[in-house]
C-alpha cells in the first residue's frame, strides 16, 4: 500500500491510500463538514479503499500518527469529458482538512500529494488506474476559489463527464444529462405543437423535467453555485 511520511511542526504525518481500518475515522471527518448517515458514509468510503493495487475511485488520507487520527481526505475518480472522448482525466472531490489542523499548510500538502499520486500511478498500466497517462485533474468548489487558484488551477466552464458506473460522480452526470434531455424534448414539443392538436384542441403541455438531485449537506451530490477548475499535470 502506498504511504509517504512527512513531518510538520515536529509531528509525523502519513499520506496514504485509505484502508478499511480508517474508514470509520475518515467518515467521521467528512461528516463534520457534510453531515449524513455515518453508516452510509462508511459504506461509500469502503468502495474507495485500495485493494491489492491502486484503482479508481480511490480515497487518499493524511494520518496524524501521534494520535492515529485521520486529519485529511481527498477522493479521486477517473472521468471522460462528453465532448472530448480522447482524454484521460481525474475528478478530485471531498477535499477536507480537520478544522483544528487548518492554517498550517496541510491542505496544500494534501492537494500536491494527491496530484503526485495521480501522476505517478496513471503512468503505470499495471496499476489499474487508467489505460494511458492522465492529462488533467478537475474539481469544483463553492468557497475555496482562492485556495485552488493559488495551486495553479484554472477556472473553466462547468463540464459534463462520464464516470465509472455507480460512482458518486456518475450521479451528477446522469442527472445533468437527464435534465438536458428533458429540456430538449420540451423544446421539440413546442416546435411541433401543431402536429399534436386534436380536433382543434391545444397541444398537451410537456411534462416538467425531473429535478437534479441536490443535497445542501452532501458534497458528492450538490452541483449548485460551484466554480469549476482544471489543472494540467506535468
Amino acid at each position: 500500500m502506498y504511504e509517504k511520511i512527512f513531518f510538520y511542526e515536529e509531528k509525523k504525518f502519513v499520506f496514504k491510500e485509505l484502508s478499511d481500518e480508517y474508514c470509520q475515522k475518515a467518515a467521521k471527518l467528512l461528516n463534520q463538514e457534510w453531515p449524513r448517515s455515518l453508516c452510509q458514509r462508511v459504506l461509500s468510503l469502503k468502495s474507495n479503499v485500495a485493494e491489492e493495487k491502486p484503482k479508481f475511485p480511490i480515497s487518499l488520507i493524511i494520518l496524524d500518527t501521534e494520535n492515529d487520527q485521520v486529519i485529511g481526505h481527498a477522493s479521486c475518480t477517473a472521468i471522460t469529458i462528453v465532448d472530448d472522448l480522447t482524454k484521460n482525466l481525474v475528478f478530485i472531490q471531498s477535499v477536507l482538512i480537520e478544522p483544528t489542523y487548518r492554517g498550517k499548510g496541510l491542505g496544500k500538502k494534501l492537494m500536491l500529494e494527491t496530484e503526485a499520486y495521480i501522476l505517478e500511478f496513471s503512468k503505470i498500466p499495471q496499476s489499474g488506474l487508467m489505460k494511458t497517462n492522465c492529462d488533467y485533474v478537475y474539481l469544483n468548489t463553492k468557497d475555496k476559489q482562492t485556495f485552488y487558484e493559488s495551486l495553479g488551477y484554472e477556472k473553466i466552464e462547468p463540464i459534463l463527464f462520464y464516470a465509472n458506473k455507480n460512482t458518486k460522480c456518475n450521479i451528477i452526470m446522469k442527472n445533468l444529462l437527464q435534465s438536458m434531455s428533458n429540456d430538449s424534448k420540451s423544446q421539440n414539443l413546442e416546435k411541433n405543437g401543431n402536429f399534436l392538436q386534436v380536433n382543434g384542441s391545444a397541444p398537451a403541455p410537456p411534462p416538467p423535467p425531473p429535478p437534479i438531485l441536490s443535497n445542501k449537506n452532501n458534497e458528492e451530490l450538490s452541483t449548485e453555485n460551484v466554480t469549476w477548475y482544471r489543472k494540467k499535470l506535468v
Side-chain angles (χ1 to χ4, degrees):
M1 178 170 287
Y2 181 91
E3 292 187 357
K4 187 173 182 180
I5 297 173
F6 66 96
F7 292 86
Y8 187 85
E9 294 184 347
E10 300 182 352
K11 294 186 68 174
K12 180 181 177 181
F13 296 88
V14 177
F15 173 84
K16 59 180 294 183
E17 298 160 343
L18 179 66
S19 57
D20 282 327
E21 64 180 309
Y22 290 110
C23 280
Q24 187 84 6
K25 293 182 178 181
K28 290 181 178 179
L29 170 64
L30 290 169
N31 273 8
Q32 291 184 51
E33 188 76 13
W34 303 291
R36 65 183 293 189
S37 163
L38 184 62
C39 181
Q40 290 180 349
R41 176 76 72 181
V42 171
L43 289 175
S44 176
L45 286 173
K46 283 185 177 294
S47 67
N48 289 7
V49 168
E51 298 173 346
E52 294 182 358
K53 59 182 180 180
K55 65 176 180 62
F56 280 152
I58 193 167
S59 282
L60 304 166
I61 61 173
I62 292 181
L63 185 69
D64 182 343
T65 61
E66 184 176 304
N67 53 20
D68 201 37
Q69 180 183 0
V70 176
I71 61 95
H73 175 277
S75 66
C76 310
T77 299
I79 65 173
T80 299
I81 291 182
V82 172
D83 59 359
D84 192 349
L85 302 180
T86 63
K87 297 287 186 180
N88 288 293
L89 314 165
V90 174
F91 184 74
I92 302 175
Q93 63 179 345
S94 304
V95 178
L96 184 64
I97 294 293
E98 207 281 332
T100 59
Y101 287 78
R102 295 174 186 173
K104 303 177 183 293
L106 290 170
K108 178 179 180 180
K109 181 68 174 177
L110 172 62
M111 287 300 300
L112 293 178
E113 292 295 344
T114 297
E115 293 167 11
Y117 176 92
I118 295 168
L119 186 61
E120 177 177 350
F121 285 99
S122 67
K123 293 181 178 179
I124 306 174
Q126 295 80 9
S127 71
L129 289 183
M130 49 183 53
K131 295 180 180 179
T132 58
N133 293 355
C134 173
D135 301 304
Y136 292 94
V137 287
Y138 286 74
L139 56 81
N140 61 40
T141 182
K142 289 186 176 181
D143 56 0
K144 304 298 181 185
Q145 289 86 349
T146 301
F147 170 70
Y148 290 116
E149 289 171 10
S150 72
L151 295 176
Y153 282 82
E154 299 178 349
K155 189 181 298 185
I156 60 171
E157 293 296 319
I159 64 170
L160 294 180
F161 58 82
Y162 292 107
N164 295 332
K165 185 178 181 181
N166 296 327
T167 63
K168 292 177 285 295
C169 289
N170 204 31
I171 295 174
I172 299 173
M173 178 60 196
K174 285 180 179 178
N175 284 275
L176 286 173
L177 288 179
Q178 187 175 27
S179 177
M180 290 177 62
S181 175
N182 280 277
D183 286 343
S184 177
K185 290 178 181 178
S186 297
Q187 292 174 3
N188 289 335
L189 286 171
E190 291 175 0
K191 291 179 180 179
N192 300 292
N194 292 333
F195 295 96
L196 297 177
Q197 294 184 13
V198 179
N199 297 325
S201 61
I212 296 176
L213 287 179
S214 176
N215 184 339
K216 294 183 178 180
N217 292 324
N218 190 329
E219 80 286 3
E220 291 95 348
L221 300 183
S222 180
T223 60
E224 299 176 354
N225 303 319
V226 299
T227 304
W228 285 80
Y229 287 96
R230 180 178 75 172
K231 182 177 182 180
K232 184 174 179 60
L233 296 182
V234 293

